Amino acid sequence: DTGVSQDPRHKITKRGQNVTFRCDPISEHNRLYWYRQTLGQGPEFLTYFQNEAQLEKSRLLSDRFSAERPKGSFSTLEIQRTEQGDSAMYLCASSFWRDRPEQFFGPGTRLTVL
Amino acid sequence: GQQVMQIPQYQHVQEGEDFTTYCNSSTTLSNIQWYKQRPGGHPVFLIQLVKSGEVKKQKRLTFQFGEAKKNSSLHITATQTTDVGTYFCAVKFSNTGNQFYFGTGTSLTVIP
């Protein structure tokens, strides 16, 4: 158990619907990352936060994607007007910058868009 | 654009044989991390390399960072069935921000 939790673990939605995922990082971690992973590929960076500030966002990220970390603790990732190509595993990871370099990953949310 | 290539994509070995995966970049890296992902699981951190020519060992695993900081390798001696999974490198480029770029991974199968 890495301590990072994600909810829900699975989400099935119809094309065009909005979905929101939640990530609860390890409590003392100040950095939080979102990745997307499809079958046979490595995790693809989406965005990351240091505390409540969103410091970097992938240029590949569509405007339909938005992430927040309002109080520097949990984070949400919202996808608006989902498309079939959004089907993937969405992974959250957290780390404590300066102290230990490793990212601790959560179990992921598997999104299926019909 | 900056790319991270991992080879091979797949590797099947007999239990007891050695295994090596390589991570290659077209540009200089700031640092590199290695992760292992078991089937159905999430990536788990193994090691971070920062210095040119750095070599680190963890039991049967040996990690190397190239002198030019453009490539890295992970070598497993005498593989065991518990080594099964996909091994990813995750790199941070010298000229970009703090995001990590993951390679495509090497899927290791160990035949008992």
Side-chain angles (χ1 to χ4, degrees), chain A residues 38-102:
Chain A
T38 54
L39 195 62
Q41 299 296 315
E44 176 192 11
F45 172 82
L46 296 178
T47 188
Y48 96 91
F49 294 83
Q50 182 152 317
N51 300 312
E52 66 275 7
Q54 187 174 18
L55 296 186
E56 290 184 34
K57 189 175 176 181
S58 170
R59 293 178 199 143
L60 302 175
L61 205 59
S62 159
D63 288 344
R64 297 183 295 106
F65 288 70
S66 62
E68 293 183 342
R69 194 183 183 196
K71 297 182 179 179
S73 57
F74 74 92
S75 175
T76 58
L77 176 69
E78 181 183 17
I79 308 174
Q80 295 182 328
R81 305 181 302 282
T82 52
E83 302 172 356
Q84 287 186 325
D86 296 332
S87 295
M89 177 72 83
Y90 289 83
L91 293 165
C92 173
S94 70
S95 68
F96 189 71
W97 184 57
R98 285 190 181 278
D99 185 32
R100 296 174 66 181
E102 63 263 43

Side-chain angles (χ1 to χ4, degrees), chain B residues 84-105:
Chain B
V84 166
T86 301
Y87 293 84
F88 292 101
C89 61
V91 305
K92 188 182 292 186
F93 294 103
S94 297
N95 59 351
T96 60
N98 290 299
Q99 58 183 277
F100 281 90
Y101 294 86
F102 278 74
T104 50

Side-chain angles (χ1 to χ4, degrees), chain B residues 13-34:
Chain B
V13 298
Q14 289 287 144
E15 188 173 16
E17 291 182 339
D18 293 355
F19 159 77
T20 305
T21 174
Y22 300 90
C23 182
N24 299 308
S25 167
S26 56
T27 56
T28 304
L29 304 173
S30 171
N31 60 40
I32 185 167
Q33 297 181 346
W34 284 94

Side-chain angles (χ1 to χ4, degrees), chain B residues 4-76:
Chain B
V4 182
M5 303 296 294
Q6 255 189 279
I7 53 172
Q9 189 175 1
Y10 302 97
Q11 185 79 60
H12 292 72
V13 298
Q14 289 287 144
E15 188 173 16
E17 291 182 339
D18 293 355
F19 159 77
T20 305
T21 174
Y22 300 90
C23 182
N24 299 308
S25 167
S26 56
T27 56
T28 304
L29 304 173
S30 171
N31 60 40
I32 185 167
Q33 297 181 346
W34 284 94
Y35 290 81
K36 176 183 178 182
Q37 187 171 24
R38 293 181 185 273
H42 53 269
V44 175
F45 175 84
L46 296 175
I47 205 88
Q48 174 167 284
L49 304 172
V50 179
K51 300 176 183 176
S52 168
E54 189 170 15
V55 178
K56 287 188 176 180
K57 293 190 176 184
Q58 289 180 351
K59 298 183 180 178
R60 294 179 295 106
L61 277 60
T62 302
F63 304 84
Q64 290 189 324
F65 202 4
E67 293 289 342
K69 298 185 72 173
K70 289 186 177 182
N71 54 67
S72 179
S73 65
L74 158 58
H75 179 81
I76 303 178

Side-chain angles (χ1 to χ4, degrees), chain B residues 75-86:
Chain B
H75 179 81
I76 303 178
T77 303
T79 54
Q80 301 174 358
T81 54
T82 52
D83 296 325
V84 166
T86 301

